[in-house]
Amino acid sequence: MQSRRHRMRQRQRWDSAQAWIRSGAAVTVKHYAKRYGVDKYTAYDDLTALGVALPDSARQWAQRPPTTPCRTGGRATLPVHDEWWIVLDGRSFFVAGYTSGGAPYGTFADGMPPYDHPL
């Protein structure tokens, strides 16, 4: 069941739409969708519920396309150079530590000052 707030908005939209239809304006699915800020599938449903005769060309909005399922794969793991170095966005990243949420923090290798090795 829809929330009360949603039902009230729908009812107010329908009341306004009935007045708009009675005004003699050209009512189409596209105009309704733009005027009331809804998608064209909702506009088609609302107009048919209000008894507006729509042309056959509007039948394309009669049925929503099936939703595409979301990927259920886990988060991509980062390739590990060793314990302290990882590759992040294609750049070497020095891990100084981890946040409480598990995100690494540190600095990119190209942002570090050059190290002169005393040999």
Side-chain angles (χ1 to χ4, degrees):
M1 180 176 212
Q2 297 171 342
S3 68
R4 182 177 189 278
R5 183 176 183 182
H6 182 78
R7 287 190 316 266
M8 288 300 292
R9 283 188 181 166
Q10 183 179 33
R11 193 170 301 133
Q12 290 168 347
R13 186 173 68 231
W14 283 3
D15 291 343
S16 173
Q18 285 174 338
W20 181 49
I21 292 165
R22 283 191 303 265
S23 75
V27 178
T28 65
V29 171
K30 182 179 178 182
H31 289 147
Y32 186 95
K34 188 170 184 176
R35 182 180 181 101
Y36 294 105
V38 295
D39 64 354
K40 291 180 178 140
Y41 300 103
T42 303
Y44 181 88
D45 292 341
D46 285 359
L47 288 172
T48 54
L50 292 169
V52 175
L54 295 170
D56 288 337
S57 61
R59 290 190 191 269
Q60 65 180 331
W61 305 112
Q63 185 175 7
R64 290 180 187 270
T67 58
T68 54
C70 297
R71 287 188 284 144
T72 58
R75 226 170 102 178
T77 58
L78 301 172
V80 176
H81 290 299
D82 63 28
E83 185 177 329
W84 298 104
W85 288 94
I86 61 173
V87 175
L88 190 62
D89 292 332
R91 298 165 53 197
S92 294
F93 185 80
F94 177 75
V95 179
Y98 292 91
T99 64
S100 61
Y105 63 88
T107 185
F108 287 100
D110 54 4
M112 295 174 66
Y115 178 71
D116 293 329
H117 203 36
L119 288 177

